[in-house]
Amino acid sequence: MEKADTPLQSVLHTIQASCKRARRDPGEVTLVAVSKRHSAAAIEPLLIEGQRHFGENRVQEAQEKWPALREEHPGVRLHLVGQLQSNKAEDAAALFDVIHSLDRPSLVKALAKAFDKTGRQVPCFVQVDVGDEPQKGGCPVGEVPDLLRQARDADIPLAGLMCLPPAEIEPAPFFAFLDKLARDHGLDGRSMGMSGDYETAIMMGATHVRVGTALFGERD
């Protein structure tokens, strides 16, 4: 009997199949394994399989888990995928390799200061509120050009745009909108797509998909 794919193998095969349908190179898509609220013991098997990009929602949780894991598994790239409070900017700059949730002018200022202090220039995705849902965080669509200008003026390296489309609605139009917005502003990265819709996101140009449940199972 053939050995079943691990969750990681299954997700990677799906990414490859989605890229083939979209006539894209699978190397253009980075899988970010969202390990928030999962223990080091749950993360370890993915590290052993070779996964190196991981996403965390909270600075403090990442500080508790990742230093020891990184010692054992070199080459990990840590992505902050949750909202970032300005007073945690310096801690985030010291720990994370990519930030996906730059969404307001006060955070531009806090991160610019933190990057100067830590000597690290962490690439940032500007999170866009594509569904007009302020409770999720994200820059209102009409304010995106101004926020991008402020980030560039502050020498913050821009990785691209990120979005969380509204739940229970077909996500494709939101992904297509983010893709166009990124192109209009000369940005390469699109952080979009999670466990339930990353195949659609890849068809619409995603460069980073943030997958948790499909890799780790449902959280208790």
Side-chain angles (χ1 to χ4, degrees):
M1 197 168 82
E2 275 190 34
K3 197 175 164 191
D5 279 352
T6 64
L8 177 60
Q9 288 168 338
S10 179
V11 169
L12 289 173
H13 288 158
T14 302
I15 289 172
Q16 285 177 334
S18 301
C19 285
K20 192 173 181 184
R21 284 200 302 278
R23 296 184 178 172
R24 296 182 62 196
D25 176 356
E28 294 173 9
V29 180
T30 298
L31 170 62
V32 180
V34 179
S35 48
K36 64 179 183 181
R37 299 209 295 276
H38 291 291
S39 66
I43 295 166
E44 193 95 40
L46 272 78
L47 284 162
I48 289 166
E49 275 191 81
Q51 175 64 20
R52 284 297 176 267
H53 290 263
F54 288 84
E56 291 284 343
N57 256 35
R58 292 172 61 243
V59 174
Q60 192 175 342
E61 183 186 343
Q63 285 172 323
E64 288 163 7
K65 284 194 305 207
W66 280 99
L69 284 168
R70 278 178 142 165
E71 270 188 39
E72 281 190 45
H73 302 277
V76 163
R77 304 263 305 158
L78 212 50
H79 298 246
L80 179 64
V81 296
Q83 284 186 274
L84 176 59
Q85 296 170 304
S86 294
N87 64 355
K88 295 279 186 187
E90 195 178 318
D91 288 341
L95 182 65
F96 289 93
D97 302 295
V98 187
I99 291 168
H100 290 243
S101 48
L102 175 55
D103 63 356
R104 59 196 187 278
S106 60
L107 190 53
V108 167
K109 287 178 187 165
L111 284 170
K113 201 170 164 185
F115 293 171
D116 280 347
K117 194 165 178 183
T118 59
R120 298 187 81 222
Q121 292 290 113
V122 181
C124 294
F125 286 88
V126 166
Q127 182 176 346
V128 183
D129 181 13
V130 289
D132 195 17
E133 302 174 286
Q135 76 278 10
K136 275 187 180 175
C139 178
V141 170
E143 294 171 23
V144 167
D146 204 39
L147 188 65
L148 289 171
R149 181 187 55 74
Q150 290 175 46
R152 286 178 171 130
D153 287 348
D155 289 329
I156 287 178
L158 289 171
L161 301 179
M162 180 272 232
C163 74
L164 291 160
E168 315 302 330
I169 300 179
E170 169 54 47
F174 297 99
F175 293 151
F177 175 75
L178 195 83
D179 178 59
K180 182 179 186 307
L181 199 59
R183 267 186 286 121
D184 288 348
H185 289 284
L187 295 165
D188 295 329
R190 294 113 169 95
S191 172
M192 57 190 195
M194 299 190 291
S195 287
D197 55 20
Y198 68 96
E199 293 171 73
T200 303
I202 289 168
M203 299 296 289
M204 297 293 167
T207 61
H208 292 68
V209 293
R210 310 177 307 271
V211 177
T213 305
L215 293 169
F216 293 99
E218 295 286 351
R219 283 185 295 274
D220 294 333

